[in-house]
Amino acid sequence: MEVILLERISKLGQMGETVKVRDGFARNYLLPLGKALRANAANKARFESERATLEARNLERKSEAQKVADVLDGKSFIVVRSAGETGQLYGSVAARDVVEVLAAEGFNIGRNQVHLNTPIKAIGLHKVELQLHAEVEINVELNVARSAEEAERQAKGEELTSVDAIYGVDEDALRPEDFFDPEADGIDEEEA
């Protein structure tokens, strides 16, 4: 199906272009969301008459997205989740969790604007791409940790996936004498 794009769509085309897309993509996404019109003579004339308004609206949306991007770009957000000693999360951090964290900080971002290829399943510092507008993309950093104290330590560059890092115990320095009395022969004197 051929459609006329009413806004820039990444990996598809610019506003005003006539592109050929699959029927389902057009019927289920582009047309219902008002991102495109069917390519016919009447719709081409309609687009040309509304072109100035569409370009003005697109420019306004882009400038609003750019304002938010200027504030958000490069910021770091802390996400506290429970995890095992190896740093593996018991759950995961998905796009909806990113939206909730940003909303708690006062940023209104839609779930479809968060680009996570796979959910985050381990503690650490993770880069998350946000596409605020078709032409405005930024990265924020998520600091996924077990507690706020661990998040501070991770932000300083510390690796928290070993027992030493978590509990402050050096596993290699532990000796059996630290746990057992070498003088004990295994038999209580009272029993003998």
Side-chain angles (χ1 to χ4, degrees):
M1 174 185 298
E2 287 196 353
V3 294
I4 303 167
L5 297 177
L6 298 178
E7 61 184 60
R8 180 180 181 272
I9 299 176
S10 59
K11 300 180 184 173
L12 193 56
Q14 298 291 332
M15 179 191 305
E17 287 184 15
T18 301
V19 294
K20 187 170 178 70
V21 295
R22 294 187 179 250
D23 292 348
F25 183 57
R27 279 195 311 266
N28 297 324
Y29 180 70
L30 295 174
L31 297 175
L33 294 179
K35 295 179 182 281
L37 294 172
R38 290 179 187 267
N40 59 33
N43 283 340
K44 285 181 185 179
R46 176 179 162 202
F47 173 76
E48 289 304 325
S49 67
E50 295 178 4
R51 185 180 199 110
T53 1
L54 291 171
E55 287 177 353
R57 185 174 60 183
N58 185 41
L59 190 61
E60 181 183 323
R61 286 182 184 165
K62 182 181 175 185
S63 64
E64 289 174 5
Q66 191 60 49
K67 287 178 189 173
V68 174
D70 293 340
V71 174
L72 263 180
D73 195 18
K75 274 200 163 192
S76 181
F77 299 94
I78 297 173
V79 180
V80 176
R81 294 285 189 267
S82 53
E85 289 182 354
T86 60
Q88 190 74 19
L89 295 179
Y90 292 132
S92 65
V93 178
R96 64 179 162 74
D97 299 315
V98 175
V99 170
E100 290 173 6
V101 168
L102 292 172
E105 296 291 325
F107 298 102
N108 188 15
I109 304 295
R111 199 166 87 190
N112 60 342
Q113 294 175 312
V114 177
H115 291 277
L116 274 177
N117 291 335
T118 57
I120 298 169
K121 295 187 177 197
I123 64 170
L125 302 174
H126 302 277
K127 292 276 185 206
V128 176
E129 181 183 315
L130 301 177
Q131 187 171 12
L132 304 176
H133 184 269
E135 301 170 26
V136 180
E137 293 180 2
I138 59 166
N139 286 318
V140 294
E141 185 177 74
L142 287 186
N143 187 344
V144 182
R146 293 179 198 92
S147 66
E149 296 81 33
E150 279 191 4
E152 288 176 22
R153 290 170 56 195
Q154 273 184 165
K156 293 177 185 173
E158 201 173 323
E159 182 69 32
L160 296 177
T161 56
S162 69
V163 174
D164 177 30
I166 299 168
Y167 300 113
V169 176
D170 186 8
E171 292 175 320
D172 298 331
L174 295 178
R175 299 180 310 260
E177 299 84 49
D178 295 337
F179 299 101
F180 303 105
D181 184 11
E183 305 295 318
D185 57 0
I187 302 172
D188 287 339
E189 293 179 16
E190 295 174 6
E191 292 177 6

